Amino acid sequence: MDKPCPPRQRVTRPYLVFAGEIRQAEELKAPRDPPPPFSAEACEARVKAVRAQWDALSEEQKQPYKDKAVHNELQFPLDVAEYKEALAKWKSESIPPMPASIPPELQTNDVVFYAELIFCQEHRPMETLDALLAESNGCCHSGISDRLERRWKRMTLQERYPCLYEAFQEKSQNPSTWSGYSP
């Protein structure tokens, strides 16, 4: 069984839903391979053009985008709950029970560092949802990262074990990506 991927937070602003659909439609019409080099002026002009299209829509024409935004907002907690369930099942099937003492190879700096990254990746959706539900000021990317880092530091070795084990397995299976690595 493959490890489940964390859900992405969905767009919850009607204008951004509209802009995303416009971008997708343009990419389907004229795929660019490779894409043109980034230009701030071209980007600004594109944003202004999309904004003008949005402003030209009537309230009735905007309603489907508003409905999609509301749907996206309601869907994210369901996606997180489904992810938590799938992650728990994957861990129960893929990670053996913790031994009486954690082997030293699971406590090296590189493994601990990578284990923290795994923990943050796994728990970011739940932390984002908690921050959104609490309407917290710490809902930005750096605020959530700070919350996850504090949570990791408070965890016991027993609580960290699944992430340490997964990091060590990754190091064992792909040693070339870890050669000369130091956090």
Side-chain angles (χ1 to χ4, degrees):
M1 173 181 193
D2 289 338
K3 184 176 181 179
C5 294
R8 295 187 66 191
Q9 189 174 354
R10 296 166 179 253
V11 176
T12 59
R13 302 264 194 289
Y15 166 73
L16 295 177
V17 172
F18 172 77
E21 287 186 10
I22 294 289
R23 187 186 76 244
Q24 285 178 342
E26 287 176 354
E27 287 174 359
L28 287 174
K29 273 191 231 172
R32 293 177 247 157
D33 191 26
F38 177 79
S39 156
E41 294 81 19
C43 185
E44 186 177 337
R46 187 70 206 115
V47 168
K48 284 181 180 179
V50 172
R51 187 68 204 196
Q53 286 178 294
W54 174 255
D55 290 340
L57 295 177
S58 68
E59 285 302 312
E60 189 176 281
Q61 292 170 312
K62 289 180 182 179
Q63 193 58 45
Y65 302 104
K66 292 177 180 180
D67 293 343
K68 285 181 185 176
V70 168
H71 170 76
N72 288 347
E73 191 170 349
L74 298 174
Q75 186 62 40
F76 185 61
L78 301 175
D79 292 346
V80 169
E82 185 179 305
Y83 168 70
K84 284 172 74 173
E85 187 177 305
L87 184 64
K89 182 177 184 214
W90 177 83
K91 283 187 175 187
S92 71
E93 293 174 1
S94 304
I95 299 188
M98 190 178 99
S101 65
I102 296 191
E105 60 269 15
L106 265 66
Q107 298 182 54
T108 61
N109 285 343
D110 56 349
V111 171
V112 171
F113 178 77
Y114 190 65
E116 183 177 358
L117 293 178
I118 290 170
F119 169 80
C120 289
Q121 180 187 21
E122 288 176 355
H123 289 82
R124 181 168 298 282
M126 286 77 93
E127 203 65 40
T128 301
L129 180 60
D130 291 346
L132 288 171
L133 293 175
E135 295 181 21
S136 167
N137 290 338
C139 191
C140 64
H141 183 74
S142 63
I144 290 170
S145 295
D146 291 344
R147 289 169 65 162
L148 288 168
E149 182 180 3
R150 286 193 304 273
R151 209 163 131 201
W152 173 260
K153 288 179 179 177
R154 288 192 310 261
M155 290 170 66
T156 65
L157 269 179
Q158 288 81 4
E159 293 169 323
R160 290 181 179 186
Y161 174 73
C163 295
L164 292 168
Y165 180 83
E166 187 179 345
F168 181 73
Q169 289 298 103
E170 175 67 27
K171 181 179 180 179
S172 301
Q173 292 170 1
N174 301 306
S176 62
T177 60
W178 288 71
S179 61
Y181 172 82
S182 64

